[in-house]
Amino acid sequence: VQLVESGGGLVQAGGSLRLSCAASGSISRINAMDWYRQAPGKQRELVATMTNAGSTNYAGSVKGRFTISTDNANTWYLQMNSLKPEDTAVYYCKLSTRYYVYWGQGTQVTVSS
């Protein structure tokens, strides 16, 4: 299974970006898809989660601004609105199945003030 992320880039504060995470390969028994981010000098943090039942959860710092979704065809999205400079980080998707955990390669998001 491979996860390929896209959609990162440079945006001004207040702008929006949509990240995509496309999974390829044989995937079964998905438990959850998560988006994480890691800013320079900081630990990787969980940003958003979507379970296989469709329930979602968000970090407090992004609640109301970020939305995780899926097209139910092995692609997941993170819609990021009202971006702030503190959202600058490398964003990673993580797919958890019954037996394995897969990570994407990361995509850089930079928010300028």
Side-chain angles (χ1 to χ4, degrees):
V1 173
Q2 285 191 322
L3 302 182
V4 179
E5 301 171 19
S6 60
L10 174 64
V11 64
Q12 288 189 334
S16 298
L17 284 174
R18 189 176 80 155
L19 306 183
S20 299
C21 177
S24 62
S26 178
I27 305 170
S28 62
R29 301 192 178 190
I30 294 173
N31 288 335
M33 163 60 72
D34 305 314
W35 285 96
Y36 283 76
R37 67 185 180 187
Q38 187 166 20
K42 294 188 177 181
Q43 289 189 335
R44 192 171 296 190
E45 63 171 343
L46 178 61
V47 173
T49 296
M50 173 178 276
T51 69
N52 64 346
S55 63
T56 59
N57 199 19
Y58 299 92
S61 59
V62 307
K63 195 172 293 185
R65 300 188 297 121
F66 290 11
T67 303
I68 187 171
S69 63
T70 181
D71 64 357
N72 294 316
N74 291 341
T75 299
W76 288 262
Y77 306 96
L78 186 67
Q79 177 67 43
M80 305 186 295
N81 299 328
S82 302
L83 283 162
K84 305 175 181 180
E86 52 263 42
D87 295 318
T88 295
V90 178
Y91 285 71
Y92 299 89
C93 59
K94 185 184 88 171
L95 178 66
S96 300
T97 68
R98 180 174 180 179
Y99 300 109
Y100 301 104
V101 173
Y102 305 96
W103 287 89
Q105 81 284 0
T107 186
Q108 177 69 47
V109 171
T110 302
V111 184
S112 63
S113 56

